[in-house]
Amino acid sequence: MTVSTAGPAAGRDAATVQGEAGIENAQIGDFTAHMVTLRWTEEDGWSGPRLTGHRDLSLSPATAVLHYGQSVIEGLKAHRQPDGSFAVFRPDAHARRFRESARRLSMAELPEELFTEALEVLVAAEQESLPDRPGYSLYLRPFMFASETNLVPRPARAYTVVVISFLIGSYFGEDTESLAAWVCRDFPRAFPGGTGSAKTPGNYAPTMPAQQAAARAGCHQVVWLDAVERRWVEEMGSANLFFVRGHGSEQVVVTPPLTGSFLPGVTRDSVVAVARELGYEVREEPVDVADWRTGCEAGLITETFGCGTAAVVTPIGRVRDGDTEWRVGEGGPGPVARAVKERLLSHHHGLVPDVHGWRHQVGRG
Ligand SMILES: Cc1ncc(COP(=O)(O)O)c(C=O)c1O
């Protein structure tokens, strides 16, 4: 099973730059041919975006990011529209989070218009070079790092932003697979007052031993609990979590409230809106891991699913917590997850009116 909640997609490492293998042979996971760069210095402010081919960076070994970790990332997608153009999904929300993440690390804040302009430049360049096949979307990865050459541990005085992209499946019309989740009891991912709500690489490296432990336990993804009580469910891998309580007209869709110690997912926000569009009641409520188990066992919790830019909507079929294991619903994708996913993909691909102003059109159209 290749259920992936983080890119590059489909269990394949993105290693090839599209173009090396020829456009017609481009595959999911291939990096696209271009990248965009912006720079900031204390003296001159922002310059760029500058479009070049996707290429290696050349860095001094004394580049500040390599020593003190001032770095932030984003992840968003551009989807083909019925007229063949691309629309970037919610660039404004990602631009805002990029700024907020940068602020948390005392880095320069990229103005939201420049963030969006950089994406436009890149997507417009790729639009010309990609095969016009409906199965592809573009995963866009903006990142910023402290590029000053300096070993003094203070906020850097120069930053570089780069945006690269790779091909990702559009998942439209594909059936959803469910995954097995492993509850991490050994260590928390984030803590109150920490950096859990910022998208910074330093939040990801320490989670890798837990990912390996989950794999050893036969599970695909790690579920994180709060750091203080080790009781409240926060998020999973690179996804936020939703729970479906009850049946029929009593059904309620629940997601943990934002506490500052996990990522405020743009997809989380979209799923709340989409579930409401579909007529579901949505509540933000803390979810106790013990209640998750007993709720599933008693048939009170009928579905749990993760959601994120890469994951889209990924149902959880089975949960492992130490020696205990439980099944969610029937163990496969449930009707709410299926309906939410289909509706969200329709928003991505321009198949429903853009009532929320989520699609930022690039190129034709
Ligand atoms: C830790 C974490 N949580 C949640 C998410 C989902 O966020 P979004 O929906 O903005 O992709 C991501 C992915 O970016 C993530 O890395």
Side-chain angles (χ1 to χ4, degrees):
M1 181 158 68
T2 51
V3 177
S4 165
T5 63
R12 181 173 173 273
D13 287 337
T16 313
V17 176
Q18 177 251 326
E20 283 173 14
I23 288 166
E24 287 311 319
N25 296 324
Q27 290 185 50
I28 302 297
D30 284 354
F31 290 116
T32 56
H34 302 94
M35 68 187 211
V36 163
T37 307
L38 300 101
R39 293 183 198 284
W40 181 90
T41 62
E42 211 168 50
E43 310 78 58
D44 300 325
W46 288 103
S47 61
R50 194 163 87 88
L51 180 74
T52 62
H54 177 110
R55 63 186 187 195
D56 291 349
L57 301 173
S58 170
L59 296 179
S60 157
T63 304
V65 66
L66 301 175
H67 303 271
Y68 307 119
Q70 269 187 302
S71 173
V72 292
I73 61 174
E74 261 308 321
L76 69 167
K77 288 200 233 169
H79 303 276
R80 281 264 190 225
Q81 304 299 294
D83 68 355
S85 65
F86 275 101
V88 183
F89 195 67
R90 306 194 66 180
D92 48 348
H94 288 276
R96 209 170 314 123
R97 192 171 66 189
F98 199 58
R99 284 185 70 136
E100 283 161 9
S101 297
R103 192 174 312 142
R104 178 64 184 83
L105 274 78
S106 290
M107 299 170 74
E109 292 179 36
L110 181 66
E112 289 167 26
E113 324 74 78
L114 269 183
F115 181 96
T116 303
E117 189 187 331
L119 302 179
E120 283 169 354
V121 169
L122 183 63
V123 172
E126 304 309 359
Q127 166 137 5
E128 297 311 313
S129 65
L130 279 177
D132 197 357
R133 285 190 219 134
Y136 293 145
S137 292
L138 285 174
Y139 181 94
L140 306 166
R141 167 49 60 88
F143 60 100
M144 170 161 60
F145 59 94
S147 44
E148 184 186 355
T149 303
N150 195 326
L151 295 189
V152 182
R154 55 145 172 79
R157 292 174 185 159
Y159 295 92
T160 300
V161 174
V162 182
V163 190
I164 55 174
S165 95
F166 63 84
L167 299 181
I168 189 163
S170 72
Y171 306 121
F172 208 71
E174 284 176 25
D175 199 17
T176 308
E177 291 177 276
S178 52
L179 54 74
W182 181 82
V183 178
C184 184
R185 295 278 182 178
D186 300 338
F187 30 75
R189 178 184 185 276
F191 47 86
T195 57
S197 66
K199 203 159 166 63
T200 178
N203 286 342
Y204 293 82
T207 68
M208 293 187 186
Q211 276 177 32
Q212 290 174 314
R216 282 195 297 274
C219 296
H220 305 96
Q221 287 292 332
V222 178
V223 167
W224 298 100
L225 303 180
D226 77 288
V228 178
E229 296 182 70
R230 305 287 177 99
R231 171 178 172 196
W232 305 105
V233 178
E234 294 203 322
E235 63 185 336
M236 174 182 74
S238 296
N240 293 112
L241 287 169
F242 283 79
F243 302 79
V244 180
R245 286 214 198 106
H247 301 268
S249 59
E250 304 292 297
Q251 225 164 29
V252 178
V253 177
V254 173
T255 193
L258 300 175
T259 57
S261 56
F262 63 92
L263 201 74
V266 176
T267 318
R268 173 188 180 279
D269 187 67
S270 309
V271 165
V272 168
V274 160
R276 287 187 176 138
E277 265 173 37
L278 293 170
Y280 295 108
E281 181 185 341
V282 183
R283 286 193 209 145
E284 290 190 295
E285 281 175 9
V287 176
D288 184 322
V289 65
D291 293 342
W292 188 14
R293 176 170 65 82
T294 54
C296 288
E297 287 168 351
L300 300 173
I301 295 179
T302 50
E303 294 183 45
T304 304
F305 56 87
C307 71
T309 295
V312 191
V313 170
T314 304
I316 298 176
R318 164 168 86 81
V319 188
R320 177 143 196 160
D321 183 4
D323 293 332
T324 313
E325 193 164 303
W326 64 92
R327 199 175 64 172
V328 185
E330 298 301 314
V336 178
R338 276 207 166 102
V340 166
K341 182 179 171 190
E342 195 187 312
R343 181 83 182 175
L344 183 59
L345 287 169
S346 297
H347 277 289
H348 289 165
H349 290 274
L351 302 177
V352 289
D354 191 13
V355 288
H356 308 287
W358 284 344
R359 294 193 291 269
H360 185 86
Q361 198 83 21
V362 179
R364 281 172 267 173

